Amino acid sequence: MMGNVTDLISQDLAQLEQSIDNLLTTRVPFIKEVVQHIVKSGGKRTRPVLVILSAKLCGVKDDRHIPYAAIIEFIHTATLLHDDVVDNAKIRRGRFTANTLWGNEPSVLVGDFLFTKSFDLMVQGQNAEILRVMANATTRLAEGEIMELLRTSDVNTTEEDYYEVIDNKTAVLLSAACEIGAVLGSVDADKRSALREFGHHLGMAFQLKDDLLDYVSTDSTLGKNTGIDFKEGKVTLPLIHTLKQVTPAERETILAALKKTKTSKKDFQKVKGIIERYGGLEYTSNVSKDHIEKARGFLALFPPSPYKDALLDMATYIITREA
Amino acid sequence: MMGNVTDLISQDLAQLEQSIDNLLTTRVPFIKEVVQHIVKSGGKRTRPVLVILSAKLCGVKDDRHIPYAAIIEFIHTATLLHDDVVDNAKIRRGRFTANTLWGNEPSVLVGDFLFTKSFDLMVQGQNAEILRVMANATTRLAEGEIMELLRTSDVNTTEEDYYEVIDNKTAVLLSAACEIGAVLGSVDADKRSALREFGHHLGMAFQLKDDLLDYVSTDSTLGKNTGIDFKEGKVTLPLIHTLKQVTPAERETILAALKKTKTSKKDFQKVKGIIERYGGLEYTSNVSKDHIEKARGFLALFPPSPYKDALLDMATYIITREA
């Protein structure tokens, strides 16, 4: 996260880390060990930061938003645990995944614990409105993950299919994060809707940029390597845009690389070359930027404040980040 | 389930099947396919029946309990999907498991969908008391599954450890099923607590009997084969009771069989022989019967009614069933 944002809410971020530790009570110490491994592995806390900034933008003065910021990180962590099982991922954020260290079984079950514990904590929070937002968001999240799975290696995935997938698997939770802030601040329906939309477009841009980085990110032990999504058969916008224009021979090249169980670096570079030729990366970057423009527009409803500036900065950061 | 019970609530059971279909709305048709496969595979609907009978015992006259009966079956189904991934199970109730048919990925993600959808439906139900009961129960359920996993092949598992595992992984949900009926019927705190305890002891007896059947059930394509739990390294009461008394040589025999990746029928029969010699099966049967006696005792608070009789019949059925 960018320094100016973290400086602005440094106290809240410290409270967040405390809350993540405190709320994670369980009869089974091993659960805490697995969760700590992934939750303390240097994630950017994007969703909690959105809860915090939205709450403050909407006038929340106390620390009511902190537990919700922690809970939304738990839910995100649950999906990471299950994603890594589904994708058979070995490394995340430069560290071994939980499924590599402990096997698939604990990853599945600890993910379940994080889902159920999050609901338990939200129920204890006794905010019916937030419960509704989050129950809906997590259901759509689960649906989005399955939509994505069903589209694996599917070269007939349309742009619309793709947008539906990333809306559900990613944008929904960022949108809910922003809406929680609005609910806690008891702002009017227009402002609440504006923050929900801001989060939605931010989330779309976020995932688009992520999918772009899979093609262009520079290799680094800390960040993501390129080509991981492609090797897992994920058909994302750079490829979808390209597939619309390619020659039959190029299409065959892409198909062959996508269906291979072990895609080589050379295969991937060949596909990347085709995508570059047809402007797939630029197109994706532009769609991502459009979403950021829309997101920024939805904040026009709010008077100037450091929190508004921080949200605008986050929007910029999301499309300019390199990892 | 026994005929007299199903006759008594035949209309509710028909409504339940309808509700299971109707509540399972989703953007992704494939989800419904996977869920239907497992939910319509001849499960005994033990948990929904408990919701229905408890609600009727507590004076519920309308059909408010039906959606909760469906939801509790969804939650149970979610745990079955994830259990089969964790146990790498190929067959359940005489049919291929979802993970066999579609792979681990959809099983994990559709299980997640069932958890989140269940919460969504409960939140829509707007009964804060039921939300609390179920949020707590599902968290303990997830903890119970992990406790069990951590005890895999652990011959130092004590009786107390075992009781804690089965309380959380099984009894908690049966107890919650009964408590939901009490909440819907708005009975007093004593009756609610009595039904909660009834469900708890019923659940303990249920799991004890299940663990017993793993040693004595007669092979059948519809029921469970024997030795499945043992082959998965589950250390249950018949074995725990036996391990307390065996000679060092017998202990070695058991350990060797338990640690084998491929336990043969002969290995299992040898272990079963030792367990029989030390009365492990009889002991487990007695503990199970004790729980049923306790369960029945908690119903004394309720006046005579066909629903009370049906719950008492269920208690008897649970310890006399052969599969």
Side-chain angles (χ1 to χ4, degrees):
Chain A
M1 205 52 62
M2 323 80 77
N4 52 339
V5 174
T6 49
D7 285 352
L8 180 68
I9 54 170
S10 60
Q11 232 184 317
D12 292 75
L13 288 173
Q15 274 185 281
L16 170 69
E17 296 308 311
Q18 201 61 57
S19 186
I20 284 175
D21 288 339
N22 294 345
L23 293 179
L24 208 67
T25 55
T26 163
R27 287 166 183 78
V28 190
F30 171 74
I31 292 178
K32 202 149 179 165
E33 194 184 326
V34 176
V35 177
Q36 294 281 10
H37 172 77
I38 183 158
V39 102
K40 298 287 182 188
S41 67
K44 292 190 287 287
R45 304 275 186 264
T46 306
R47 293 152 196 82
V49 167
L50 287 175
V51 173
I52 295 167
L53 289 176
S54 301
K56 289 184 169 288
L57 179 72
C58 295
V60 172
K61 300 282 179 228
D62 56 19
D63 54 8
R64 269 176 298 158
H65 50 290
I66 299 294
Y68 291 106
I71 291 166
I72 213 159
E73 191 71 359
F74 290 154
I75 290 170
H76 175 57
T77 304
T79 65
L80 295 184
L81 279 166
H82 286 185
D83 277 354
D84 285 344
V85 170
V86 168
D87 296 339
N88 203 9
K90 301 273 168 266
I91 303 274
R92 176 178 291 278
R93 296 172 190 156
R95 305 176 70 184
F96 285 119
T97 54
N99 45 310
T100 305
L101 289 176
W102 293 286
N104 282 344
E105 299 87 345
S107 294
V108 171
L109 299 178
V110 173
D112 289 351
F113 171 80
L114 281 172
F115 274 127
T116 54
K117 184 76 181 180
S118 296
F119 278 105
D120 201 4
L121 291 167
M122 283 189 283
V123 167
Q124 286 171 39
Q126 295 189 304
N127 188 314
E129 210 50 51
I130 292 180
L131 265 177
R132 258 192 292 276
V133 170
M134 289 303 295
N136 180 264
T138 50
T139 303
R140 289 188 56 192
L141 189 57
E143 290 178 318
E145 297 277 350
I146 296 164
M147 285 177 193
E148 180 177 56
L149 180 67
L150 293 174
R151 293 287 176 198
T152 305
S153 302
D154 181 358
V155 287
N156 297 315
T157 308
T158 66
E159 248 186 270
E160 284 62 40
D161 296 332
Y162 168 77
Y163 294 141
E164 198 189 4
V165 168
I166 68 169
D167 184 9
N168 284 287
K169 81 160 189 165
T170 305
V172 155
L173 199 58
L174 274 76
S175 179
C178 295
E179 195 169 359
I180 287 176
V183 173
L184 290 174
S186 305
V187 294
D188 62 36
D190 284 351
K191 281 188 172 155
R192 177 170 165 179
S193 161
L195 268 174
R196 186 197 302 132
E197 289 295 327
F198 170 79
H200 162 75
H201 289 291
L202 199 75
M204 295 296 284
F206 183 83
Q207 189 59 55
L208 281 155
K209 179 74 184 186
D210 236 40
D211 293 344
L212 186 61
L213 285 171
D214 192 57
Y215 287 98
V216 300
S217 171
T218 42
D219 269 31
S220 136
T221 47
L222 286 172
K224 266 176 98 173
N225 293 338
T226 59
I228 291 179
D229 294 343
F230 183 83
K231 282 170 198 160
E232 287 167 359
K234 283 180 187 150
V235 179
T236 60
L237 192 56
L239 192 58
I240 293 167
H241 180 77
T242 303
L243 280 164
K244 283 185 194 169
Q245 314 166 66
V246 288
T247 64
E250 287 165 336
R251 192 182 170 88
E252 275 314 305
T253 305
I254 293 170
L255 241 95
L258 204 56
K259 303 247 151 144
K260 265 195 189 171
T261 19
K262 287 239 173 227
T263 317
S264 69
K265 264 210 159 127
K266 212 179 138 196
D267 294 327
F268 175 70
Q269 288 305 332
K270 213 185 279 176
V271 173
K272 190 181 161 185
I274 301 174
I275 289 175
E276 280 171 332
R277 205 144 64 234
Y278 288 99
L281 302 176
E282 206 188 340
Y283 181 76
T284 303
S285 174
N286 285 338
V287 177
S288 181
K289 280 178 194 155
D290 283 350
H291 277 291
I292 286 301
E293 273 322 296
K294 279 187 189 146
R296 294 170 66 94
F298 279 103
L299 291 190
L301 214 56
F302 293 87
S305 82
Y307 306 113
K308 178 172 170 171
D309 289 343
L311 285 168
L312 293 170
D313 284 355
M314 271 191 79
T316 307
Y317 167 73
I318 273 172
I319 42 170
T320 52
R321 72 201 160 99
E322 296 294 335
Chain B
M1 206 51 66
M2 323 79 78
N4 53 337
V5 173
T6 49
D7 286 350
L8 180 69
I9 54 170
S10 60
Q11 233 184 315
D12 292 76
L13 288 172
Q15 272 186 283
L16 170 69
E17 296 309 311
Q18 202 59 57
S19 186
I20 284 175
D21 289 339
N22 294 345
L23 293 178
L24 208 69
T25 55
T26 164
R27 288 167 181 77
V28 190
F30 171 73
I31 292 178
K32 203 149 178 166
E33 193 184 327
V34 176
V35 176
Q36 294 281 11
H37 172 76
I38 182 157
V39 101
K40 297 287 182 188
S41 68
K44 291 190 288 286
R45 306 276 186 262
T46 307
R47 293 152 195 82
V49 167
L50 286 175
V51 173
I52 295 168
L53 289 176
S54 300
K56 289 183 170 286
L57 179 71
C58 294
V60 172
K61 300 279 180 228
D62 57 17
D63 55 6
R64 268 175 299 157
H65 50 289
I66 298 294
Y68 291 107
I71 291 166
I72 213 159
E73 191 71 359
F74 290 154
I75 290 170
H76 176 56
T77 304
T79 65
L80 294 185
L81 280 166
H82 286 185
D83 276 354
D84 285 343
V85 171
V86 168
D87 295 339
N88 203 10
K90 300 274 169 265
I91 303 276
R92 175 178 291 278
R93 298 175 189 153
R95 306 175 70 184
F96 286 120
T97 54
N99 45 309
T100 305
L101 289 176
W102 293 287
N104 283 343
E105 299 87 344
S107 293
V108 171
L109 299 178
V110 172
D112 289 352
F113 170 80
L114 281 173
F115 273 127
T116 54
K117 183 76 182 180
S118 296
F119 278 105
D120 200 2
L121 291 168
M122 284 189 285
V123 167
Q124 287 172 40
Q126 295 189 303
N127 187 315
E129 209 51 49
I130 292 181
L131 265 176
R132 258 193 292 276
V133 169
M134 288 304 295
N136 180 263
T138 49
T139 303
R140 290 189 55 193
L141 189 58
E143 290 177 318
E145 297 276 350
I146 296 163
M147 285 177 194
E148 179 176 56
L149 181 68
L150 294 174
R151 293 287 176 197
T152 305
S153 301
D154 181 358
V155 288
N156 297 315
T157 308
T158 66
E159 247 186 271
E160 285 61 41
D161 296 332
Y162 168 76
Y163 294 140
E164 198 188 5
V165 169
I166 67 169
D167 184 10
N168 285 287
K169 82 160 187 164
T170 305
V172 154
L173 200 57
L174 274 76
S175 178
C178 294
E179 195 169 358
I180 287 176
V183 173
L184 290 173
S186 305
V187 293
D188 62 37
D190 284 350
K191 281 187 173 158
R192 176 170 167 180
S193 160
L195 269 173
R196 185 197 302 131
E197 289 295 327
F198 170 79
H200 162 74
H201 288 291
L202 199 74
M204 295 296 284
F206 183 83
Q207 189 59 55
L208 281 154
K209 179 74 183 186
D210 236 40
D211 293 344
L212 186 60
L213 284 171
D214 193 57
Y215 286 99
V216 299
S217 171
T218 43
D219 269 32
S220 137
T221 46
L222 286 171
K224 266 178 97 172
N225 293 336
T226 58
I228 292 179
D229 293 344
F230 183 84
K231 282 170 196 159
E232 286 166 0
K234 283 180 188 152
V235 179
T236 59
L237 192 55
L239 193 58
I240 294 168
H241 180 76
T242 303
L243 281 164
K244 283 186 195 169
Q245 313 165 66
V246 288
T247 65
E250 287 164 335
R251 193 182 169 87
E252 275 315 305
T253 305
I254 294 170
L255 242 96
L258 204 57
K259 302 247 150 140
K260 265 194 188 171
T261 18
K262 288 240 174 227
T263 316
S264 69
K265 265 208 160 133
K266 212 178 136 196
D267 293 329
F268 175 69
Q269 288 305 332
K270 214 185 279 176
V271 173
K272 190 181 162 186
I274 301 174
I275 288 175
E276 280 172 333
R277 206 145 62 233
Y278 288 100
L281 303 177
E282 206 188 340
Y283 181 76
T284 303
S285 174
N286 286 336
V287 177
S288 181
K289 281 178 194 158
D290 283 350
H291 277 291
I292 287 300
E293 274 321 297
K294 278 187 191 147
R296 294 170 67 94
F298 279 103
L299 291 190
L301 214 56
F302 294 88
S305 83
Y307 306 113
K308 179 172 167 173
D309 288 343
L311 285 169
L312 293 171
D313 284 356
M314 271 190 78
T316 306
Y317 167 73
I318 274 172
I319 42 170
T320 52
R321 71 200 160 101
E322 296 294 332

